[in-house]
């Protein structure tokens, strides 16, 4: 059975092995770099006729056949596939061939913190933090990096407000209890 490896467009990590039918669920694009045993080097998925069914719904998926498993060759950097380091002031854009020329790390989403605050501290404010935390990954996967960073900033803000909410409420309850006790005497 032919097994394919591919380079994830966002994380730039090698993924696999997968059968050609399993690649259907992996959102492979024609520009995605793939490799299988028998290939001399990595190639774009759109250049492999056997993977055309991934991009054209009229072409049926092939039946997988058995073949010896090999390890893929190491990924060699090429001139058009450099990974520049992230610089928040730098704008990343598509080049002429619609290949992403850089990778921006996903910003912290603050989801775990918001969920824990909601569960353990009963902080309703942290629900807004959960909303923005979910938006971070959604926007990042759509390659809306600036919007993803803004959602991360808002998720952090609402999470911190959720943390501050609890002591403020305890202080207000304490003061209210003192006032009630004083008014009873």
């Amino acid at each position: 059975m032919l097994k394919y490896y591919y380079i994830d467009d966002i994380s730039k990590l090698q993924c696999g092995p997968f059968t050609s039918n399993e690649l259907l669920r992996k959102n492979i694009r024609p520009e995605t770099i793939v490799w299988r045993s028998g290939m001399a080097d990595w190639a774009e998925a759109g250049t492999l006729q056997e993977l055309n069914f991934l991009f054209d719904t009229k072409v049926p998926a092939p039946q997988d056949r058995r073949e010896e498993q090999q390890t893929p060759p190491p990924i060699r950097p090429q001139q058009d596939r450099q990974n520049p380091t992230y610089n928040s002031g730098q704008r990343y854009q598509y080049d002429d061939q619609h290949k992403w020329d850089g990778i921006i790390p996903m910003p912290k989403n603050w989801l775990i913190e918001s969920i824990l605050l909601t569960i353990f501290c009963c902080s309703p404010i942290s629900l807004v933090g959960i909303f923005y935390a979910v938006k971070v990954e959604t926007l990042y996967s759509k390659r809306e990096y600036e919007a993803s960073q803004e959602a991360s900033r808002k998720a952090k803000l609402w999470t911190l407000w959720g943390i501050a909410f609890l002591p403020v409420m305890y202080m207000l309850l304490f003061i209210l209890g003192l006032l009630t006790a004083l008014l009873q005497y």
Side-chain angles (χ1 to χ4, degrees):
M1 180 177 304
L2 288 175
K3 297 280 189 166
Y4 292 85
Y5 294 83
Y6 71 94
I7 306 301
D8 183 64
D9 292 332
I10 295 174
S11 68
K12 302 294 184 199
L13 295 176
Q14 177 180 310
C15 303
F18 299 105
T19 65
S20 57
N21 289 327
E22 290 171 329
L23 289 178
L24 282 169
R25 296 183 295 259
K26 301 297 178 187
N27 296 327
I28 303 295
R29 299 179 315 136
E31 301 86 22
T32 303
I33 306 299
V34 298
W35 180 88
R36 66 162 168 74
S37 61
M39 291 176 57
D41 203 0
W42 294 83
E44 290 184 354
T47 63
L48 300 177
Q49 187 174 8
E50 66 214 48
L51 295 180
N52 283 344
F53 73 96
L54 294 172
F55 318 114
D56 186 5
T57 56
K58 297 175 186 173
V59 178
Q63 297 296 325
D64 292 320
R65 18 175 235 256
R66 297 264 175 217
E67 189 169 299
E68 280 188 30
Q69 184 70 22
Q70 295 178 0
T71 57
I75 304 165
R76 292 185 210 105
Q78 298 176 352
Q79 293 288 46
D80 61 337
R81 284 188 191 81
Q82 296 176 0
N83 276 336
T85 56
Y86 174 65
N87 176 359
S88 61
Q90 181 178 358
R91 291 211 174 254
Y92 293 87
Q93 298 180 5
Y94 288 99
D95 64 9
D96 295 337
Q97 299 170 348
H98 304 292
K99 293 179 188 169
W100 196 249
D101 68 347
I103 183 168
I104 298 174
M106 186 171 84
K108 181 171 176 57
N109 62 12
W110 299 89
L111 184 62
I112 293 173
E113 294 87 348
S114 296
I115 290 173
L116 291 176
L117 275 170
T118 304
I119 292 172
F120 294 115
C121 300
C122 301
S123 175
I125 293 177
S126 58
L127 290 173
V128 180
I130 292 173
F131 170 76
Y132 283 111
V134 171
K135 281 184 76 171
V136 171
E137 192 167 344
T138 304
L139 292 168
Y140 183 81
S141 66
K142 292 180 181 178
R143 294 186 177 191
E144 297 176 17
Y145 298 119
E146 290 177 13
S148 176
Q149 290 172 342
E150 180 64 19
S152 174
R153 189 188 65 72
K154 288 181 180 179
K156 177 182 178 182
L157 177 72
W158 283 102
T159 301
L160 293 176
W161 276 108
I163 292 170
F165 173 79
L166 197 59
V168 169
M169 289 307 297
Y170 282 136
M171 288 182 67
L172 288 175
L173 288 173
F174 179 74
I175 293 170
L176 186 62
L178 281 176
L179 288 175
T180 305
L182 289 174
L183 289 176
Q184 287 180 354
Y185 290 114

